[in-house]
Amino acid sequence: MSGSQAFGAPAPELNTPSPPDKIVIDVVTVNGSGCPNGTAAVAVAEDNTAFTVTYSRYTAQVGVGAGPIDFRKNCQLDLRVHIPQGFTYGIASADYRGFAHLEEGANALERARYYFQGDSPTAYVDHTFNGHMNDDWQTTDSTPVGAISFLPCGESRDFDINTQLRVKAGTSDPNTTTSFITMDSTDASIVTVYHFAWKRCPTKP
């Protein structure tokens, strides 16, 4: 992803179409203060070009009404992607969306990294926001085509996504104000989107 260490993998066959068979993703485990049990849902796009993650309790906050550890929230998803025979996949880009209310002097951070189990985790990709802010936010992490990491053909490994939200009061007064950043969605309109890159595996003789 841009801003991170590239996964490092052979260049894909360009313009490989998505597999025609429906992709199924199982959520193996969900861990973290930002995604308590039952608050993260995964869905695959009809055309197999992407999958989405929707959170319902992913908010970091500081100030009035916030607990001492609410300034940092995290979520680790362990996903099992069932791939049609003859294909493998990587993640070309990821779109994050949410809402932030930051008082003047406060700041927030959204960070993420992605890796196949058994590989070394990539460096985090960070995006920062500064107050005063009271608006929706969106960030995109992208990987150059030649640097996309693909699951080796014929292997079955889970895919891990690790995200964090942090907010700091900075020069704002946490005794009289509240600042927060969220990836919550109450109506499924705010989702994280992970865009697949597909590659055909060599045909066995």
Side-chain angles (χ1 to χ4, degrees):
M1 300 288 172
S2 60
S4 74
Q5 299 171 352
F7 279 48
E13 300 171 19
L14 298 179
N15 302 318
T16 298
S18 301
D21 299 331
K22 183 62 179 175
I23 306 301
V24 176
I25 298 179
D26 294 331
V27 180
V28 181
T29 58
V30 180
N31 292 300
S33 55
C35 53
N37 189 40
T39 65
V42 177
V44 182
E46 289 295 327
D47 61 1
N48 293 332
T49 60
F51 68 92
T52 62
V53 181
T54 306
Y55 302 97
S56 59
R57 288 182 58 188
Y58 203 163
T59 300
Q61 60 180 340
V62 67
V64 178
I69 60 174
D70 287 344
F71 72 95
R72 177 187 180 274
K73 298 290 183 177
N74 74 294
C75 183
Q76 177 150 331
L77 298 176
D78 179 4
L79 305 179
R80 187 161 299 155
V81 182
H82 297 275
I83 313 167
Q85 188 173 3
F87 287 86
T88 189
Y89 77 98
I91 301 299
S93 63
D95 301 324
Y96 293 89
R97 297 178 178 86
F99 183 85
H101 172 84
L102 302 175
E103 294 290 333
E104 187 69 36
N107 60 82
L109 169 75
E110 176 267 316
R111 60 170 23 182
R113 66 181 178 185
Y114 329 81
Y115 55 95
F116 293 107
Q117 287 191 351
D119 290 347
S120 298
T122 61
Y124 279 108
V125 181
D126 291 351
H127 299 277
T128 57
F129 308 89
N130 297 305
H132 184 266
M133 178 179 178
N134 190 55
D135 204 354
D136 296 330
W137 59 266
Q138 177 175 341
T139 64
T140 297
D141 302 342
S142 59
T143 301
V145 171
I148 296 173
S149 175
F150 286 87
L151 180 66
C153 287
E155 293 191 12
S156 178
R157 291 197 228 161
D158 293 347
F159 183 66
D160 284 356
I161 301 170
N162 192 309
T163 57
Q164 293 183 29
L165 292 178
R166 297 185 185 184
V167 61
K168 295 182 179 179
T171 58
S172 68
D173 185 356
N175 296 312
T176 59
T177 65
T178 302
S179 294
F180 67 86
I181 183 171
T182 179
M183 272 198 290
D184 287 357
S185 179
T186 57
D187 58 4
S189 62
I190 300 177
V191 296
T192 302
V193 184
Y194 296 89
H195 300 273
F196 283 119
W198 292 102
K199 185 169 69 169
R200 289 187 177 276
C201 294
T203 303
K204 293 183 179 180

